[in-house]
Amino acid sequence: MPGQRPIQSALISVFYKDGLEPLVRRLHDLGVSLYSTGGTQEFIEKLGLPCIAVERVTGYPSILGGRVKTLHPNVFGGILARRNFKSDEADIAQYDIPLFDLVIVDLYPFEETVSSGKDEASIIEKIDIGGVSLIRAAAKNFNDVAIISSRARYAHMLRLLEHGAATGLDTRRQLAADAFADCLHYDAAIAAYFNTDMPSDSSLGTGPSTPLRYGENPHQAARFQGDIDAIFEKLNGKELSFNNLVDTDAACQLIAEWEPSKPVFAVIKHTNVCGIAQRDSLEAAWDAALAGDRESAFGGVLVTNQAISLKAAQKINEIFFEILIAPAFEEEALKLLRSKKNRILLRQKQPLMVQNEFKRVLNGTLTQEADRSNFAEWREEGARPCSDTEAANLKFANLVCKHLKSNAIALVKDLQLIGKGCGQTSRIDALRQSLDKARQFGFSTQGAVLASDAFFPFDDCVRLAHEAGITAVIEPGGSIRDADSIQFCKVNDMALVLTGNRHFRH
């Protein structure tokens, strides 16, 4: 293997000990000398394994209540020394510095401490100094040193050690890239804590960096950075692709809009909702969601807020789909759905609550808060107040429309998406597309409601909606010509709700 380096000594100092035991035992079995400090040293020694205290290397004890343990030239010299570099070798020999070939260091749980609501003194103590320094030093010297900077990579390192106590250059370089990404994420979270106007980048993800088969298209290379196992348990199927991950994210963000008190089922295709419905039973919700657009559902991503029953599985099993996401699966349902080996089944462990969103633009990055608000207001401006049925359907439609690409229109009837227009360059075209979709799948738009992700620049949309039998409309308002749409609704007995919240999605 190019750039092969033996592992003869390892420096280990971690906050999270879970999953560490198999790794340190394997290192010991391979004859690797273990160096450690504090709680990690105690952990290793309790396993009955020999461990050299860092204090023996530095000649100093841990001081300042543990704030200073590893910040010493004898530690950093052993990490940063360049092998086969004569002046470095001379310094190492002169000062009797041990070389470290592997560094296993994670970071204090800063974000977890902030989220727990603890006082500022506790939060400040979880700003790691030595850990970040050790990680950066080892990553900088990737030509000679391997760095494991997260407990999410313990298992990966253990797999590498199956081939012996050595690492290749490509492996060390990738581990260094992962380590710098971990430091970036960590520092951004700290900066966000001190600067309340700057969102944290927690959505960038931390955890293992996993190569994907390819990117959005086969000629594009891609990787995923994050701990997907914290969100899902994969019960069946192939590895998630780039596009699978993008659609799965869209599906989880959508389903998080609904409480699990009533069954909701949705179908996602290219991040857009192509079918969704709420019903009294899961099976009925699936039937209604699929009926919204049977063609687009082919090869789609399915998501629900309920456990998958055998009855539902029997219906779902009739079509080809890529992914099914649910909070649970009945045993018999799982057995049936596993009949297709490539079909991806994901048990969602927790709702996906996105705080911030990121997008590369030009030579920089755009950061914004996630769109978590649905209504700034509920202002009735039509000919009459909404009926209870209309209000329920309008709220449902507004949530659906929020998850369609702009310009977007959603048509809803009886808590079922019956037509949608998305990704159109004009709002009237989005409405035309939604009406065409409804007609294509045999839905009557008489008595339906309409949601728009942004205001109507003209009254052409409410005019066309009225011609189609739509009785109620929800939109943000804010156009200089709002009065035209309001007046048309008043004259034509249409309900109109203005929310004050635009939901552009690009």
Side-chain angles (χ1 to χ4, degrees), residues 66-86:
R67 280 190 165 196
V68 180
K69 290 178 284 193
T70 56
L71 295 168
H72 193 278
N74 282 7
V75 174
F76 282 86
I79 297 172
L80 287 164
R82 292 160 288 189
R83 278 56 162 176
N84 303 318
F85 202 85
K86 291 190 181 301

Side-chain angles (χ1 to χ4, degrees), residues 5-27:
R5 289 284 188 269
I7 301 174
Q8 297 175 320
S9 61
L11 173 62
I12 308 173
S13 180
V14 298
F15 184 89
Y16 294 105
K17 314 298 190 297
D18 46 311
L20 184 63
E21 180 179 349
L23 181 53
V24 294
R25 287 193 182 280
R26 178 61 176 163
L27 289 167

Side-chain angles (χ1 to χ4, degrees), residues 453-506:
D453 67 331
F455 64 64
F456 297 132
F458 309 103
D459 64 1
D460 51 355
C461 284
V462 290
R463 288 179 179 275
L464 183 56
H466 177 64
E467 290 173 10
I470 291 165
T471 61
V473 173
I474 188 167
E475 50 119 339
S479 168
I480 59 173
R481 300 187 65 172
D482 273 351
D484 294 349
S485 295
I486 291 171
Q487 181 60 26
F488 183 87
C489 289
K490 286 183 180 294
V491 170
N492 291 279
D493 195 37
M494 294 177 69
L496 174 64
V497 175
L498 303 184
T499 68
N501 266 11
R502 189 179 71 186
H503 294 297
F504 271 169
R505 183 173 288 259
H506 295 106

Side-chain angles (χ1 to χ4, degrees), residues 299-345:
V301 173
L302 318 180
V303 64
T304 182
N305 61 355
Q306 304 290 310
I308 299 295
S309 64
L310 177 58
K311 285 184 179 180
Q314 289 168 335
K315 290 174 174 288
I316 297 164
N317 197 50
E318 295 174 359
I319 74 161
F320 168 71
F321 63 89
E322 285 276 340
I323 302 170
L324 172 58
I325 306 164
F329 292 78
E330 291 182 3
E331 187 174 341
E332 289 301 312
L334 191 57
K335 182 178 178 181
L336 173 64
L337 293 169
R338 279 174 166 163
S339 60
K340 302 289 176 65
K341 67 176 183 179
N342 287 331
R343 179 184 281 166
I344 300 170
L345 305 177

